[in-house]
Amino acid sequence: MPARVEDRSRTILDTVVVVDGAPIVTEKKVDALTKVLKKLFSEAGRVREDGFYMPMGSDGKSKGYLFIGFETVEQADNAVRGMNNKRLDNKHTLLVNKFSDIEQYGDDDEEEEEYVEPPEEPYVEQEHLRSWLKEPNSVDQFILYKGESVGVYWNRKSEAPEATVNRNNWTETYVTWSPLGSYLCSVHHQGVQLWGGDEFGRKVRFVHPGVQLIDFSPCENYLVTWSPEPIQLIPENSPMRASFPFTAADEGKQIVVWSVQTGMPVRTFSSSVGQGAENGPGPHGPKKISWPAFKWSSDDKYLARVIPGQQIFVYETPGMGLLDKKSIKIDGVVDFEFSPAVINSTGQKGEAEHVIAYWTPEINNQSARVTLMTIPSKEVIRTRNLFNVAECRLHWQNKGAFLCVKVVRFTKTKKSTFTNLEFFRLNEKNIPIEVVELKETVINFAWEPAGDRLVIISTTDMPSAPGAAPGTRPPPGKVPGMPGVPGGPVKTSVSFYGLERSKGVAGQFRHISTVERKSSNSIFWSPKGRFVVVAAVGGTSNNTGELDFWDFDFEGEKKEIPGAEDVPANLTLMASGQHYQLTDIEWDPTGRYVATSSSMWGRAMETGYRIWDLKGQLLREDHVERFKQLLWRPRPPTLLTKEQQRDVRKNLREYSKVFEQEDIAEESQASKELIAQRLRLLEEWRAWRKAVEAEIAEARDGVVPLLLQSEEDGSEIIEEIVEEVISEKEEEIED
Amino acid sequence: MRPILLKGHERPLTQLKYNREGDLLFSTARDKIVNVYYSHNGERLGTYTGHQGALWSVDVDPTSTIVATGAADNTIKLWEIRSGRCIHTWNFPTAVKVVQFNEDGNMLLAITEQRMGYQGTVYVFPITIDVEAKQAEEPIIKFSSPENKFTKAGWSYLNKWIITGHLDGSVSKYDAKTGELVQKISVHEKEVTDLQFAPDMSYFITTSKDKTAKILDTKNLKVMKTFVADAPLNTGAITPTKDYVILGGGQDAKDVTTTGSRQGKFEARFYHKIFEDEIGRLKGHFGPLNTIAVHPAGTGFASGGEDGYVRVHHFDKSYFDFLYDVERMRPE
């Protein structure tokens, strides 16, 4: 019965796995290694008595691969699933395959014993992904998504934007730019696609069925996607299998980290851990996912996520392995944030390091605490104990020079809350901390980009329940770009703070000014600092959409502010505007324009967008049916050195003269064209009228019908009514 | 420009019409009555009562002797303007949507609604402008368009053609003597809601629910101008003496309860006829505008709304003075 024998040997071979990538050791250490590996693989199943075989080379060293036989096929399968790509240590990653697989694939290879040099692929010129930056006048682009059509347009200020590309059904849910503007990203049920170059051709495809949420790493090397549908393997024989990027190990996972360059997944994660603190472990309904699931360091080197109450997992790219192979266990940890910059921690030698800030609430008689820790060395560089804490929020300044922790604290009676702002100064020795105490509830807060001034929106009539304060992050499931803000006309006050500086030495944070009785709830700093828009955002019908344009360095007479004389600022309200039911505000990446829009997603009734200049002057207003999104294309960071940038700033007047002349020339050119166009229309119309009138007159042959006769050529009776006021009396009537 | 507010109806207005001299203004509404006012001060001259259903259309003959009305009680009535006496009634199987005299006042054009198995039909009746004369019962011509509902209609110059607007947004031209379809073009994406001629009938304006208005050449139905608005349009008129058009509309009546008058877009909009630019808006109504009529001398206009009010405006000096730079550069 040869068939049966064959069968049996198959089965035996199926229980054997081949392990590659093991450390190469000398005879002395073989036992130790064997012990380690046996222990490791016994997690997957029971290794057969004689099932462990590590071949030795003639040089007395192991060969780096070995064979392990399990008792059953299932156990072997288990080992492949669980141990493949297992990191043994920094240098060694195990590759585990079934012996039968290798034999099978090995057989295929035998057919081509002779090495055949692969044909050289002809060089294909790739489109420049950043070609839009070559526009001579640095005009910016934006996406307009309305109805089913997605288009990329050049901003033409007050003129209609000029389309470079416009496609119907380009996306199924929403579109977005990658953080440096290289790619346009469209989201479909089957996955995510990236488009770029002059013609917006398809550059990368990521297959992730049911994908809903996406997040790029800051340097756009990686993309994180989340789908509510766990990954299911496509059967081997399906024609789709070839383009399906996942393997058995990815089954059931929901979060995928992709490499943008290769378009392949680098690691998958399940989303069942990583519940956001704000969603709580409530039994009500399906658990929500907090997004973004991972927070990135500014250079894409680390990504991390928190398991609330337990630990922070920090992974290292590109291997996606856990940093030091273990998570950072922190009892009670709620949330953390990466600093946007690296620091050279407290004068020590060595490389600059990343910093994360995290906070823990009061647990087990321990006070609440904010901690700064360096990554990768995991060294705690500063802690701050806090009392009566309801909630903390961590706000880094975008250069990492400051961290502001917004602490919502209970009053002594625990019935209401108030807010403290704790400022950490990372650029100074020992990281000093300063506290600003506020009586009101802070609902929004924003640092000046690259600056040391800030805007705070606070209110007294907010419900004081902790966690009710709106985040700046969009709630899960919602499309990005829509800030989660409470409805209702909450009266707010807007306060401005600055860091005082006398003779270049940083002093304290001082209050500059407060504006009361506003309905604003959101702060939008110009990406270059100095200018800030404070606005009421939300699609509710009672949102009037007030917009205030502030300048922190107004070039005019400086007003003296008592108590803040040394703060380098001259705050002026430049203009106020309105955009009824506005749902989104975005500065263009150069800080020259502000786009406000009301999207149908925000339930706005009057959809469309407006473009303002930085001074708050309305340039363009466009009502667009079924308008969804306006997104400015981000720009990569400037390539100019600090010195060059300083030169530009010094000679700004010279440059601005040139630009002003160009603007005037362009405007007069445009108005000339407009006048010429109107003249043409006028003359065309008049010529046409003349021809038609002549034609009709001829047809009428002098007979003009009654209706068209002018009444002047007959006598007519004119009835004249003269009204005269005879007397006027005012009486007060009481009910 | 302070309007005169006329509250003569209890239901939404359906049509306004000035007589040839412009001293009288006729209004019809869904409340079964026809009113006539002095246009200069809004004083009501009288009311014509007798229809049993909502009125859809009104027109006055060039001598201001007879007024014709079409109504949902499936009749056209002729009235003596002076006395308010009904002098003739024609009966139809369905409601009458449009009545219009020709330029000589000796023919009356009417269209009836397509409903209950009856086709929408265009009729032309001979008219004798004499309140004592007996009017002919039978039409001169009668034709219908089975696949395409009529919404509006009007006479061209010299009684040559009848121009009709349709539910599908198309515009047709029929020979007025034979009833033969001469030309049909697709103009709008949605229903044609109004069709009004320039004073000499050589071009006309159509408005539509597709939020646009267009000016077409009567002779070849070529689209000359397009005006884009931000709300569905119900009515539009061409102003004599000045090169403007006035458009009116607003959110559909059924959606109005869900919006405030702020977003209802119930303003009368002024566009420049030649340059197609919007040049002004006039607020006032708190419902969509259903009808606009312009004074034949171009000195004012009247608008009637879903809100039941008629607003009569007399133009200010600035209206007449406004000119584009190019118009100043090249005076006619």
Side-chain angles (χ1 to χ4, degrees), chain A residues 274-291:
Chain A
Q275 297 298 323
E278 56 263 63
N279 299 320
H284 322 287
K287 284 183 181 173
K288 286 182 190 159
I289 176 172
S290 81
W291 194 257

mmCIF file of all heavy atoms in Angstrom, chain A residues 274-291:
data_model
loop_
_atom_site.group_PDB
_atom_site.id
_atom_site.type_symbol
_atom_site.label_atom_id
_atom_site.label_comp_id
_atom_site.label_asym_id
_atom_site.label_seq_id
_atom_site.Cartn_x
_atom_site.Cartn_y
_atom_site.Cartn_z
ATOM 1 N N GLY A 274 -5.956 49.066 24.074
ATOM 2 C CA GLY A 274 -5.908 50.436 23.560
ATOM 3 C C GLY A 274 -7.218 51.165 23.636
ATOM 4 O O GLY A 274 -7.462 52.062 22.871
ATOM 5 N N GLN A 275 -8.111 50.792 24.554
ATOM 6 C CA GLN A 275 -9.316 51.584 24.739
ATOM 7 C C GLN A 275 -8.930 52.949 25.265
ATOM 8 O O GLN A 275 -8.147 53.070 26.179
ATOM 9 C CB GLN A 275 -10.249 50.933 25.756
ATOM 10 C CG GLN A 275 -10.755 49.583 25.338
ATOM 11 C CD GLN A 275 -11.583 49.628 24.086
ATOM 12 O OE1 GLN A 275 -12.323 50.565 23.878
ATOM 13 N NE2 GLN A 275 -11.437 48.632 23.253
ATOM 14 N N GLY A 276 -9.537 53.955 24.702
ATOM 15 C CA GLY A 276 -9.246 55.308 25.175
ATOM 16 C C GLY A 276 -9.854 55.517 26.546
ATOM 17 O O GLY A 276 -10.883 54.949 26.889
ATOM 18 N N ALA A 277 -9.217 56.315 27.351
ATOM 19 C CA ALA A 277 -9.694 56.563 28.702
ATOM 20 C C ALA A 277 -11.062 57.227 28.688
ATOM 21 O O ALA A 277 -11.912 56.932 29.509
ATOM 22 C CB ALA A 277 -8.715 57.442 29.452
ATOM 23 N N GLU A 278 -11.252 58.104 27.708
ATOM 24 C CA GLU A 278 -12.488 58.879 27.718
ATOM 25 C C GLU A 278 -13.701 58.020 27.380
ATOM 26 O O GLU A 278 -14.825 58.400 27.663
ATOM 27 C CB GLU A 278 -12.393 60.088 26.772
ATOM 28 C CG GLU A 278 -12.036 59.746 25.359
ATOM 29 C CD GLU A 278 -10.551 59.935 25.107
ATOM 30 O OE1 GLU A 278 -9.748 59.224 25.749
ATOM 31 O OE2 GLU A 278 -10.198 60.785 24.299
ATOM 32 N N ASN A 279 -13.447 56.870 26.761
ATOM 33 C CA ASN A 279 -14.584 56.032 26.414
ATOM 34 C C ASN A 279 -14.982 55.104 27.559
ATOM 35 O O ASN A 279 -16.115 54.669 27.608
ATOM 36 C CB ASN A 279 -14.271 55.213 25.173
ATOM 37 C CG ASN A 279 -13.993 56.109 23.997
ATOM 38 O OD1 ASN A 279 -14.660 57.124 23.824
ATOM 39 N ND2 ASN A 279 -12.993 55.766 23.219
ATOM 40 N N GLY A 280 -14.022 54.880 28.409
ATOM 41 C CA GLY A 280 -14.315 54.115 29.605
ATOM 42 C C GLY A 280 -14.643 52.670 29.299
ATOM 43 O O GLY A 280 -14.949 52.309 28.163
ATOM 44 N N PRO A 281 -14.578 51.827 30.282
ATOM 45 C CA PRO A 281 -14.892 50.413 30.064
ATOM 46 C C PRO A 281 -16.370 50.155 30.295
ATOM 47 O O PRO A 281 -16.735 49.172 30.902
ATOM 48 C CB PRO A 281 -14.028 49.727 31.114
ATOM 49 C CG PRO A 281 -13.857 50.757 32.215
ATOM 50 C CD PRO A 281 -14.182 52.106 31.654
ATOM 51 N N GLY A 282 -17.194 51.068 29.900
ATOM 52 C CA GLY A 282 -18.627 50.939 30.161
ATOM 53 C C GLY A 282 -19.228 49.729 29.479
ATOM 54 O O GLY A 282 -18.776 49.315 28.423
ATOM 55 N N PRO A 283 -20.260 49.156 30.087
ATOM 56 C CA PRO A 283 -20.884 47.978 29.502
ATOM 57 C C PRO A 283 -21.843 48.341 28.380
ATOM 58 O O PRO A 283 -22.375 47.481 27.717
ATOM 59 C CB PRO A 283 -21.646 47.374 30.677
ATOM 60 C CG PRO A 283 -21.958 48.542 31.568
ATOM 61 C CD PRO A 283 -20.894 49.568 31.334
ATOM 62 N N HIS A 284 -22.057 49.654 28.200
ATOM 63 C CA HIS A 284 -23.073 50.076 27.231
ATOM 64 C C HIS A 284 -22.530 49.999 25.820
ATOM 65 O O HIS A 284 -21.547 50.655 25.489
ATOM 66 C CB HIS A 284 -23.523 51.504 27.501
ATOM 67 C CG HIS A 284 -23.622 51.811 28.953
ATOM 68 N ND1 HIS A 284 -24.636 51.316 29.734
ATOM 69 C CD2 HIS A 284 -22.831 52.532 29.767
ATOM 70 C CE1 HIS A 284 -24.454 51.739 30.975
ATOM 71 N NE2 HIS A 284 -23.372 52.470 31.019
ATOM 72 N N GLY A 285 -23.212 49.234 25.005
ATOM 73 C CA GLY A 285 -22.937 49.215 23.570
ATOM 74 C C GLY A 285 -21.545 48.719 23.239
ATOM 75 O O GLY A 285 -20.775 48.315 24.100
ATOM 76 N N PRO A 286 -21.210 48.757 21.942
ATOM 77 C CA PRO A 286 -19.907 48.278 21.528
ATOM 78 C C PRO A 286 -18.830 49.246 21.998
ATOM 79 O O PRO A 286 -19.050 50.449 22.082
ATOM 80 C CB PRO A 286 -20.018 48.272 20.002
ATOM 81 C CG PRO A 286 -21.087 49.257 19.690
ATOM 82 C CD PRO A 286 -22.020 49.270 20.845
ATOM 83 N N LYS A 287 -17.695 48.691 22.287
ATOM 84 C CA LYS A 287 -16.598 49.535 22.744
ATOM 85 C C LYS A 287 -16.107 50.397 21.597
ATOM 86 O O LYS A 287 -16.003 49.953 20.466
ATOM 87 C CB LYS A 287 -15.465 48.657 23.270
ATOM 88 C CG LYS A 287 -15.786 48.100 24.629
ATOM 89 C CD LYS A 287 -14.613 47.291 25.137
ATOM 90 C CE LYS A 287 -14.915 46.695 26.487
ATOM 91 N NZ LYS A 287 -13.846 45.790 26.905
ATOM 92 N N LYS A 288 -15.794 51.618 21.929
ATOM 93 C CA LYS A 288 -15.301 52.517 20.894
ATOM 94 C C LYS A 288 -13.783 52.457 20.872
ATOM 95 O O LYS A 288 -13.139 52.152 21.862
ATOM 96 C CB LYS A 288 -15.749 53.939 21.200
ATOM 97 C CG LYS A 288 -17.222 54.168 20.940
ATOM 98 C CD LYS A 288 -17.539 55.607 21.239
ATOM 99 C CE LYS A 288 -19.028 55.845 21.247
ATOM 100 N NZ LYS A 288 -19.333 57.051 22.003
ATOM 101 N N ILE A 289 -13.257 52.819 19.737
ATOM 102 C CA ILE A 289 -11.813 52.822 19.622
ATOM 103 C C ILE A 289 -11.360 54.268 19.749
ATOM 104 O O ILE A 289 -12.008 55.183 19.267
ATOM 105 C CB ILE A 289 -11.373 52.215 18.276
ATOM 106 C CG1 ILE A 289 -9.869 52.316 18.138
ATOM 107 C CG2 ILE A 289 -12.082 52.874 17.107
ATOM 108 C CD1 ILE A 289 -9.323 51.606 16.961
ATOM 109 N N SER A 290 -10.258 54.475 20.442
ATOM 110 C CA SER A 290 -9.745 55.840 20.491
ATOM 111 C C SER A 290 -8.765 56.010 19.334
ATOM 112 O O SER A 290 -7.969 55.133 19.026
ATOM 113 C CB SER A 290 -9.060 56.096 21.830
ATOM 114 O OG SER A 290 -7.756 55.586 21.817
ATOM 115 N N TRP A 291 -8.900 57.107 18.656
ATOM 116 C CA TRP A 291 -8.106 57.327 17.456
ATOM 117 C C TRP A 291 -7.434 58.654 17.554
ATOM 118 O O TRP A 291 -8.066 59.606 18.018
ATOM 119 C CB TRP A 291 -9.023 57.260 16.214
ATOM 120 C CG TRP A 291 -8.248 57.141 14.958
ATOM 121 C CD1 TRP A 291 -7.993 58.125 14.052
ATOM 122 C CD2 TRP A 291 -7.590 55.979 14.484
ATOM 123 N NE1 TRP A 291 -7.221 57.653 13.040
ATOM 124 C CE2 TRP A 291 -6.947 56.333 13.269
ATOM 125 C CE3 TRP A 291 -7.437 54.687 14.966
ATOM 126 C CZ2 TRP A 291 -6.181 55.428 12.534
ATOM 127 C CZ3 TRP A 291 -6.693 53.796 14.224
ATOM 128 C CH2 TRP A 291 -6.083 54.162 13.034
#
